[in-house]
Amino acid sequence: GLDGMFGIVGFESEFQYTSASLDESVTPNGEDSYSIFGFYADVYAKLDAVKPGVFFAYGSVDDDAGVQFNFGDDFDGHGAEMIGNEFAFGGIDAIGGATYFGVYADFAASDALSFFGQIGYATGNSDSTIEDDTCLDVSLRGAYKVTDAVTYAVGGGYATVDRDQGDDPDPGYKLYHKLTIAF
């Protein structure tokens, strides 16, 4: 992974490559050898109280071996409320075997009040039944720091999935409010 700042422009990125060389005569189910990789990049600008940015994530697929790069449970769709949090996309846990990109903005209205908004779009990378699956995800949230130890937050998310094959699921919604107390 690499990250850095150049004036007001910042970035962070990660790359992971995984391969397995399997002897098909020894493996229990005759699994194939495979090579997969994942790439993530986030480029943003720090403009006083506003931090706009764009992100891109790509997880490759080895269709012959039936293996997809999984971004893992700690990758929450770059802060998305729905994709990668409330449901998986790409046929495996969290987000995997997919291209996922979007735009976002953080806004610190004051030392105590902050807002976040993001629009993300994902598409499946596999030649299987999820190849042309797509997902649109919209997330919004705000937080108010009542004291150094108490924060009140409200947020919401909306996601719609368009399946390549079969019926499309109903769009998903999430609305919440929470009070966080840190000791």
Side-chain angles (χ1 to χ4, degrees):
L2 294 171
D3 61 53
M5 288 290 297
F6 298 99
I8 63 169
V9 177
F11 75 94
E12 62 182 37
S13 63
E14 292 183 28
F15 179 82
Q16 183 177 358
Y17 175 82
T18 304
S19 67
S21 180
L22 305 172
D23 183 348
E24 293 177 31
S25 64
V26 178
T27 57
N29 298 318
E31 291 95 347
D32 289 335
S33 299
Y34 64 86
S35 296
I36 55 175
F37 69 92
F39 174 75
Y40 167 76
D42 178 10
V43 179
Y44 55 88
K46 287 200 173 188
L47 309 171
D48 292 327
V50 180
K51 178 185 165 187
V54 297
F55 65 91
F56 176 84
Y58 178 86
S60 71
V61 176
D62 187 322
D63 285 315
D64 294 334
V67 178
Q68 306 173 32
F69 181 85
N70 183 355
F71 287 100
D73 292 336
D74 61 337
F75 182 74
D76 63 356
H78 191 272
E81 294 293 344
M82 298 295 289
I83 189 170
N85 274 317
E86 299 298 323
F87 69 94
F89 184 83
I92 55 178
D93 288 344
I95 301 171
T99 301
Y100 178 55
F101 57 91
V103 297
Y104 68 95
D106 281 315
F107 174 59
S110 68
D111 289 341
L113 183 62
S114 63
F115 299 96
F116 173 81
Q118 173 176 296
I119 298 174
Y121 185 80
T123 184
N125 292 336
S126 174
D127 288 337
S128 69
T129 59
I130 65 164
E131 176 181 17
D132 293 325
D133 285 4
T134 60
C135 175
L136 174 68
D137 184 281
V138 178
S139 299
L140 298 169
R141 66 179 161 268
Y144 182 73
K145 191 174 184 177
V146 179
T147 69
D148 287 341
V150 178
T151 303
Y152 179 72
V154 296
Y158 168 82
T160 182
V161 176
D162 181 21
R163 296 270 185 228
D164 180 36
Q165 297 181 9
D167 294 333
D168 294 341
D170 291 335
Y173 305 89
K174 176 182 179 180
L175 297 172
Y176 68 90
H177 68 103
K178 66 181 177 180
L179 189 64
T180 305
I181 300 171
F183 295 97

